[in-house]
Amino acid sequence: MLFMIDYLQELATTLGPVKSALVATLFTWFMTALGASVVFFFKQINRAVFDTMLGFTGGVMMAAAFWSLLAPSLDYAKDMYEDFFWLPIAAGFLLGGLFIFLIDRFLPHLHINFGKSETEGIQTGWHKSTLLLLAITLHNIPEGLAIGILFGKAAMGMDGTSLAAAVALTIGIGIQNFPEGMAVSIPIRRSGASRFKSFWFGQLSATVEPIAGVIGAIAVLYMTNILPYALSFAAGAMIYVVVEEVIPETQRDKYTDLAVLGFMLGFALMMVLDTALG
């Protein structure tokens, strides 16, 4: 693992922040596609395993929101704003949650373990597979932003900033994207779609991550003063997704205890990646 971190840091240094963010988010997309490819071998997955994986995803996102985003945001804001360092953190955090709330309110989508009658957003006659795709796509926006922002931040050589932290976040999100790909493709396959169509929808859900990653890196590079807001914005968006989407999806069957254990495992893994390697 340490060898891989060192190699990825050298690669990121060579490529620069924007290209590094693009490569990193292409990796997280690939992990989603890899998870979606499971549909070529299985038509369904054990619900206990499924809920545990979803819990793991939530744990990774929650830990990343604090260790990778809020904590460094606080450190940077203290140097930048002194007595009022808390203001950009609180503002960015709330704006991140509000951003996802507004998209969630208007974009038609369906959470993974929910029935078609529980579609959220503007009412539409779109197929269930499309609504599932939009739900995971919404989920992936803050992940891509977080990776791009960290690579942009590391490029500016700030104190307490390292490419290792950005790489660690990329690895953590990549790991949790594997079950996300399954979470889209397996239900679509179970509903009667072909294997290829199910895979296509599964991988398509993560294509927004490279776009969001590049936008995040560019924004930080050219607008240095927004960094505390940007980091906390991504954290707020992530936590909103976890609390509003991921956790409720794991609590709709009898495997809630396994989902909680998965959440704790995901949180611990991301914490170790960020603190020990980042």
Side-chain angles (χ1 to χ4, degrees):
M1 178 67 80
L2 289 174
F3 171 78
M4 182 169 65
I5 292 286
D6 291 339
Y7 172 75
L8 291 173
Q9 285 187 84
E10 291 178 8
L11 180 63
T13 303
T14 303
L15 292 175
V18 176
K19 289 182 179 178
S20 295
L22 177 60
V23 170
T25 46
L26 284 174
F27 165 74
T28 59
W29 162 82
F30 170 76
M31 291 299 291
T32 305
L34 194 63
S37 69
V38 169
V39 79
F40 289 110
F41 307 99
F42 303 99
K43 190 172 182 177
Q44 59 184 7
I45 185 171
N46 182 277
R47 183 61 186 266
V49 174
F50 194 71
D51 285 349
T52 303
M53 286 182 168
L54 282 178
F56 178 87
T57 293
V60 169
M61 292 181 70
M62 187 70 78
F66 177 75
W67 297 102
S68 298
L69 299 170
L70 281 178
S73 178
L74 281 166
D75 291 338
Y76 186 60
K78 285 178 182 178
D79 294 334
M80 196 170 178
Y81 296 98
E82 297 182 353
D83 293 339
F84 296 97
F85 70 90
W86 50 268
L87 182 59
I89 309 304
F93 183 80
L94 293 174
L95 284 172
L98 180 63
F99 171 71
I100 300 297
F101 166 78
L102 291 173
I103 296 178
D104 190 68
R105 188 72 179 268
F106 295 104
L107 181 70
H109 63 283
L110 178 66
H111 292 183
I112 293 166
N113 287 328
F114 287 46
K116 181 69 181 293
S117 62
E118 298 174 278
T119 299
E120 296 183 1
I122 296 173
Q123 293 302 306
T124 177
W126 292 351
H127 193 274
K128 183 176 180 178
S129 59
T130 303
L131 296 171
L132 280 169
L133 169 64
L134 290 174
I136 299 297
T137 300
L138 173 65
H139 181 146
N140 285 331
I141 291 173
E143 296 176 4
L145 278 174
I147 291 173
I149 288 167
L150 279 192
F151 273 106
K153 181 174 180 278
M156 291 186 287
M158 299 173 182
D159 292 338
T161 304
S162 70
L163 283 171
V167 171
L169 177 63
T170 301
I171 292 173
I173 289 178
I175 292 171
Q176 63 101 38
N177 272 9
F178 183 85
E180 277 187 14
M182 295 173 59
V184 179
S185 62
I186 293 290
I188 293 174
R189 173 62 178 154
R190 198 166 53 234
S191 69
S194 69
R195 286 184 174 87
F196 180 79
K197 182 179 180 181
S198 301
F199 165 77
W200 177 256
F201 274 96
Q203 65 81 32
L204 196 62
S205 64
T207 55
V208 70
E209 287 194 5
I211 299 170
V214 169
I215 290 173
I218 292 174
V220 170
L221 283 175
Y222 292 99
M223 293 179 282
T224 309
N225 290 337
I226 72 165
L227 185 57
Y229 296 94
L231 288 166
S232 56
F233 179 94
M238 270 193 173
I239 289 179
Y240 186 96
V241 168
V242 172
V243 176
E244 195 276 336
E245 179 181 336
V246 179
I247 292 177
E249 289 170 359
T250 67
Q251 303 298 301
R252 295 174 65 88
D253 211 317
K254 59 183 179 181
Y255 303 109
T256 55
D257 290 347
L258 291 176
V260 173
L261 291 174
F263 182 96
M264 295 182 69
L265 178 61
F267 189 98
L269 176 64
M270 189 64 232
M271 179 176 63
V272 168
L273 283 173
D274 207 329
T275 57
L277 302 180

